[in-house]
Amino acid sequence: MRITALAGGIGGARFLRGLLHHLNARELPSDVTVIGNTADDITLHGLRVCPDLDTVMYTLGGGIHNDQGWGREDEEFTVAGELAAYGSGPGWFTLGDRDLATHIVRTRLLGEGMTLSEATATLCERWRPGVRLLPMSDDRVETHVVVDDPADGQVPGDGPIPTRAVHFQEWWTRLHASVPARQILAVGIEAARPAPGVLEAIREADVVLLPPSNPVVSIGTILGVPGVRDALRNTAAPVIGVSPIIAGAPVRGMADACLTAIGVETSASAVAALYADFLSGWLVDEADAGEVSPPERVPVVRSRPLLMTDLDASAAIAGAALDLAAGIRQAAHG
Ligand code: GDP
Ligand code: CA
């Protein structure tokens, strides 16, 4: 079975770890390709950092800090302390020593002329994540967030409030998404080309999965890469999504702030509506079982527990997504 999944960071990685566990436990031969979000990428201290690719790589490769969900286990922060002593910011994005090695190697490989796909494949030779991990694009795409930037002493009613754009990581990590996003822009996306293998992986899959990743800044940016959405509409494979929203709230993180910024309600069915043009099946939590989507928009909705509390719970969710796909395929072929 050829399985292709689109993924952001923590939500995507935990789901994928469950998926691999499920496939191994059932001894189901399969090839899993993961198309990772790269719009969170940022250059810090001259190093190219790819948080979502690394979260998937470390989680599946056994190097992740489990409780935190990102970064390396047994991390140390000697370099971060030395950088701070130089006043070399930003202080809001801490990179651990072990993690830094990844960014140093990636930056060197890119500097030697490798594409991001090639550099990612090289990093994965160490981590052996058990999937083919592809960046959504080798071209640079960065999510920026437009926020209010009032002049000193300006109070509401004092005329138009100036705005400024900050990198997504600054809004998310420094500001904790507490400042409303007036706009969320994926800078560079119109000109970005899907990385080699991305469109083929969608077209030639037996099943396409959308893990419970952020619908705006993870899945949304992957869908924004020209060609990806069309490939999803046209693939013969069932496309099954798992809701990241349970009972009107994100399970972790501030996805609600991202949805609000694009004028979408924070609910499982509103997220499904974002994918309605290509979605075949949608898993919602039991808490949302009553939320009925119009059948013409999302053909099949199933409810089950969707909290990825541990590996077994994540594996059961992934198994349910595959079962839903199998049911849809069977129905289509009589
Ligand atoms: P990020 O890049 O690290 O923010 O991670 P993703 O984009 O992959 O995933 C973030 C989303 O995962 C958030 O919107 C969360 O609501 C969702 N999420 C996290 N844990 C769970 C879980 O246990 N169950 C479900 N259904 N969603 C989850
Ligand atoms: Ca992310």
Side-chain angles (χ1 to χ4, degrees):
M1 186 163 44
R2 288 159 302 178
I3 302 173
T4 296
L6 276 49
I10 300 177
R14 289 198 168 149
F15 174 87
L16 291 166
R17 187 165 56 181
L19 174 69
L20 294 186
H21 188 69
H22 171 84
L23 294 169
N24 285 333
R26 300 286 165 93
E27 296 179 8
L28 297 170
S30 45
D31 272 316
V32 182
T33 299
V34 175
I35 301 170
N37 174 47
T38 58
D40 288 12
D41 296 5
I42 187 167
T43 300
L44 294 166
H45 312 290
L47 301 174
R48 195 66 181 155
V49 179
C50 302
D52 285 0
L53 292 179
D54 289 349
T55 295
V56 170
M57 185 173 78
Y58 294 155
T59 301
L60 301 183
I64 198 75
H65 185 301
N66 255 316
D67 300 334
Q68 196 169 259
W70 53 272
R72 294 289 313 282
E73 62 185 345
D74 298 326
E75 190 54 286
E76 287 168 73
F77 296 92
T78 306
V79 177
E82 290 297 313
L83 289 167
Y86 281 110
S88 177
W92 46 263
F93 201 100
T94 306
L95 296 170
D97 300 344
R98 291 178 191 279
D99 194 26
L100 272 165
T102 303
H103 313 314
I104 290 170
V105 175
R106 173 188 294 117
T107 304
R108 195 199 78 215
L109 296 173
L110 293 172
E112 287 170 2
M114 274 195 187
T115 62
L116 182 59
S117 302
E118 291 164 344
T120 303
T122 302
L123 294 170
C124 284
E125 284 171 17
R126 169 179 176 196
W127 290 102
R128 308 199 168 278
V131 301
R132 188 163 65 114
L133 179 58
L134 305 178
M136 66 187 199
S137 177
D138 284 334
D139 299 320
R140 198 148 153 168
V141 178
E142 280 187 6
T143 301
H144 288 213
V145 178
V146 178
V147 296
D148 287 349
D149 187 25
D152 277 349
Q154 187 177 8
V155 292
D158 271 3
I161 301 174
T163 56
R164 72 189 172 107
V166 296
H167 191 286
F168 169 73
Q169 294 296 353
E170 182 172 355
W171 182 66
W172 192 257
T173 307
R174 183 171 82 84
L175 302 171
H176 300 290
S178 59
V179 179
R182 299 297 173 208
Q183 265 191 85
I184 297 182
L185 306 166
V187 179
I189 199 137
E190 294 85 358
R193 292 152 301 174
V198 163
L199 298 183
E200 294 78 358
I202 295 171
R203 286 196 208 112
E204 292 162 15
D206 297 309
V207 187
V208 178
L209 299 175
L210 267 54
S213 283
N214 188 308
V216 182
V217 296
S218 295
I219 303 286
T221 42
I222 301 172
L223 295 176
V225 175
V228 168
R229 202 168 189 118
D230 276 340
L232 286 163
R233 285 192 192 124
N234 294 325
T235 183
V239 181
I240 310 295
V242 179
S243 177
I245 304 297
I246 298 182
V251 178
R252 54 180 291 163
M254 293 82 71
D256 48 336
C258 302
L259 287 164
T260 303
I262 63 163
V264 171
E265 178 191 276
T266 302
S267 71
S269 55
V271 173
L274 292 174
Y275 308 147
D277 54 318
F278 58 77
L279 204 60
S280 329
W282 184 234
L283 285 182
V284 301
D285 189 79
E286 285 171 323
D288 299 309
E291 259 195 68
V292 182
S293 304
E296 71 278 11
R297 303 215 59 192
V298 179
V300 189
V301 180
R302 293 269 184 282
S303 64
R304 71 172 326 283
L306 286 190
L307 275 181
M308 300 187 285
T309 42
D310 57 24
L311 183 55
D312 286 334
S314 312
I317 295 169
L322 292 179
D323 287 348
L324 184 51
I328 290 170
R329 249 198 328 252
Q330 252 169 23
H333 297 124

